[in-house]
Amino acid sequence: MTAGSAPGSFARSLLRTKPVDRIVAEGGRGEGGELKRTMSLLQLTFFSVGATLGTGIFVVLGEAVPLAGPAVVLSFVLAAVTALFSALSYAELAGTIPVSGSSYSYAYATLGELVAWVCGWCLLLEYAVSVSAVAVGWGSYLNAFLDSAFGFTIPAALSSPPGEGGLVNVPAVVVVLIAALLLLRGTSESATANTIMVFLKIAVLLFFCAVAFTAFRSGNLSVFTPLGWAGISAAGGKVFFSYIGFDAASTAGEEAKNPRRDLPLAIVLSLAIVTVLYVLVGLAAVAAMNWRRFAISGAEASLAEVLDVATGKTWPSMILALGAVIAIASVVLTVMYGQTRILFAMSRDGLVPDVFQKVSPGRRVPVANTVIVAMFIGTLAAVIPLGRLVDATSIGTLFAFALVSVGVMVLRRTRPELPRSFRTPLFPVTPLLGVGFCVYLMVGLGGVTWTVFALWCLVGLVAYFLYGRRHSRLAAGPAGVPGGKGLP
């Protein structure tokens, strides 16, 4: 090897891509067993709806309204458009590469191993931290229900994290453990439980709209954009958190009955359902309660506060809080599922330890993977405040979504002959707009968020060079034997 060839060889090793045929052929396989294909189109759609619906409306709305005023409705639309461009790219890649790795696997097939690793590392931030944030919100609604129904709440020391008047958030840990137990029972059982919870969640939000619109006050909307476009944009970056999860169906590619047909449909349908509900709920909330009041209300349980103000009675907010307690659990369940399946795919590629791809022969689920993820998420939820979790999750997600849009363009150029059950419309305008909108919302996030994101990526790069690159099965060769001939 010449002196000049080493750097070139090193660079090529970072940009090596995993062949699509090999990614698809390995689908479902893990150490000790295979995942079981049980999920229908309805279950896949509701998996994405379950992972998405509630994350923003039940938890983040109270933080977004003070940034944009009544125009928070437009912030939801802005975030929805951004998500739509990414969703169309996701739909094409999910139908072309129907595996569990989601955007990590798509990046591995199109942009190379290093980019795939960074994408997977950002997905760890997206999924694990978003579950923790929602678990924190779940505890707030649990206290709201207990207060309305029985006149007591869990003491702040046991229901709030350090820095917000507490020692440990016990309710957040409890909901994570419940979700983990469901996942350990099996994918089919988890999907059925989620479908029931999603139906309940939609019913609760429609109930909220029906009650809140009875208190509609046009004066609350008279100054619709009090903080201008800057406020709408800032709130858009925050409420984008509420769209995280629409890609959850793409993590079920190896457990779907008909993945090439159903994954693209599930992604697009779920985004349409949640967008309509978000706009309706957002409009009902700001029309019923003056937007300035959101700044002094409890952010994590803002919808319950709206019903109290709108009706002057406690029973509507009690019903909402009870529904939220049950329904937000579906977000924890489905996003935790997605987290375990992405780690499953990364482990199969050798980039994270083998323990994450071990499948229980009886239950056909990655048991150790699920337990480790639950312990990590439960710890985050117990001790970290909600606001810091939300912004960190949004920036990691926007980065991953941008990579998916780039990946669609690359794969169209490098593998035009691949069968595609769904094609992104108005190509390449749609993926280019997807990248642009993601970057726009990322720029609007604060400097502290960017610092956290940069540090997270730096830690990820260190982990890749110390472990992932050394254990990569793609580098080892077709047989996965160290020293074997590498794949191109």
Side-chain angles (χ1 to χ4, degrees):
M1 179 181 293
T2 65
S5 65
S9 176
F10 176 75
R12 285 194 297 272
S13 72
L14 300 181
L15 298 175
R16 57 193 172 216
T17 58
K18 186 174 180 180
V20 173
D21 298 338
R22 178 171 169 180
I23 293 176
V24 175
E26 291 177 353
R29 300 178 185 175
E31 184 178 323
E34 293 188 10
L35 303 177
K36 187 177 181 181
R37 295 193 179 276
T38 60
M39 297 181 69
S40 65
L41 174 60
L42 177 65
Q43 290 175 320
L44 288 169
T45 301
F46 274 31
F47 236 73
S48 284
V49 173
T52 310
L53 188 57
T55 311
I57 284 295
F58 283 114
V59 178
V60 182
L61 182 65
E63 295 189 355
V65 172
L67 299 177
V72 72
V73 174
L74 298 181
S75 300
F76 276 111
V77 174
L78 173 62
V81 171
T82 303
L84 175 62
F85 289 131
S86 298
L88 294 173
S89 295
Y90 260 101
E92 177 168 330
L93 290 180
T96 308
I97 313 173
V99 293
S100 292
S102 187
S103 51
Y104 156 76
S105 293
Y106 309 153
Y108 211 164
T110 58
L111 302 174
E113 184 171 283
L114 179 61
V115 177
W117 168 266
V118 173
C119 183
W121 191 250
C122 287
L123 289 175
L124 298 184
L125 181 67
E126 171 192 347
Y127 281 80
V129 177
S130 67
V131 171
S132 302
V134 176
V136 172
W138 186 84
S140 297
Y141 273 99
L142 177 63
N143 261 343
F145 169 71
L146 293 175
D147 186 35
S148 298
F150 305 108
F152 75 91
T153 61
I154 300 172
L158 299 177
S159 62
S160 299
E164 293 191 352
L167 298 175
V168 60
N169 194 327
V170 174
V173 176
V174 170
V175 73
V176 170
L177 292 178
I178 292 172
L181 290 174
L182 275 171
L183 291 173
L184 290 173
R185 287 183 60 85
T187 300
S188 179
E189 293 83 354
S190 300
T192 299
N194 174 68
T195 299
I196 295 170
M197 287 189 284
V198 169
F199 273 119
L200 174 61
K201 180 156 48 179
I202 292 174
V204 166
L205 290 176
L206 291 177
F207 167 79
F208 169 85
C209 290
V211 175
F213 274 127
T214 63
F216 188 99
R217 295 178 177 86
S218 59
N220 288 337
L221 305 178
S222 58
V223 183
F224 193 69
T225 58
L227 301 171
W229 180 254
I232 294 171
S233 177
K238 187 167 288 288
V239 302
F240 186 82
F241 179 81
S242 63
Y243 288 92
I244 294 172
F246 75 81
D247 57 324
S250 67
T251 66
E254 296 171 25
E255 290 161 284
K257 294 179 180 178
N258 191 348
R260 292 192 184 276
R261 184 201 68 183
D262 292 347
L263 292 180
L265 284 172
I267 290 170
V268 175
L269 285 173
S270 64
L271 182 59
I273 291 170
V274 299
T275 299
V276 170
L277 283 169
Y278 282 165
V279 171
L280 282 175
V281 172
L283 180 60
V286 294
M289 188 170 80
N290 188 280
W291 69 273
R292 292 181 179 85
R293 186 159 181 171
F294 282 85
I296 58 176
S297 300
E300 290 89 350
S302 55
L303 294 191
E305 177 73 11
V306 169
L307 291 185
D308 285 342
V309 171
T311 66
K313 300 175 181 178
T314 60
W315 67 266
S317 60
M318 182 178 69
I319 293 175
L320 178 81
L322 176 59
V325 166
I326 299 171
I328 290 180
S330 71
V331 179
V332 178
L333 173 68
T334 51
V335 178
M336 274 185 63
Y337 168 88
Q339 173 74 92
T340 61
R341 274 29 178 200
I342 289 168
L343 283 169
F344 179 83
M346 295 178 74
S347 177
R348 189 168 55 204
D349 292 331
L351 301 185
V352 298
D354 285 344
V355 66
F356 291 102
Q357 67 157 323
K358 291 183 178 180
V359 176
S360 168
R363 297 179 182 178
R364 307 283 286 274
V365 296
V367 173
N369 183 341
T370 303
V371 171
I372 293 170
V373 167
M375 292 174 62
F376 177 72
I377 289 173
T379 302
L380 283 181
V383 299
I384 299 181
L386 171 65
R388 297 177 186 176
L389 293 173
V390 171
D391 288 344
T393 305
S394 293
I395 194 169
T397 304
L398 287 164
F399 179 75
F401 284 5
L403 289 182
V404 170
S405 296
V406 173
V408 165
M409 294 185 285
V410 171
L411 198 62
R412 283 278 191 104
R413 182 178 180 85
T414 58
R415 296 295 304 274
E417 81 288 353
L418 286 175
R420 290 169 168 84
S421 58
F422 177 89
R423 286 181 173 269
T424 302
L426 301 178
F427 182 89
V429 176
T430 297
L432 285 173
L433 286 173
V435 175
F437 271 82
C438 286
V439 171
Y440 177 74
L441 289 182
M442 288 174 72
V443 170
L445 295 172
V448 174
T449 301
W450 274 95
T451 301
V452 171
F453 178 64
L455 290 174
W456 178 261
C457 289
L458 180 62
V459 172
L461 289 174
V462 171
Y464 172 72
F465 286 108
L466 289 181
Y467 184 91
R469 186 170 181 272
R470 297 172 182 270
H471 294 82
S472 168
R473 289 190 170 86
L474 186 60
V481 179
K485 184 180 179 180
L487 291 172

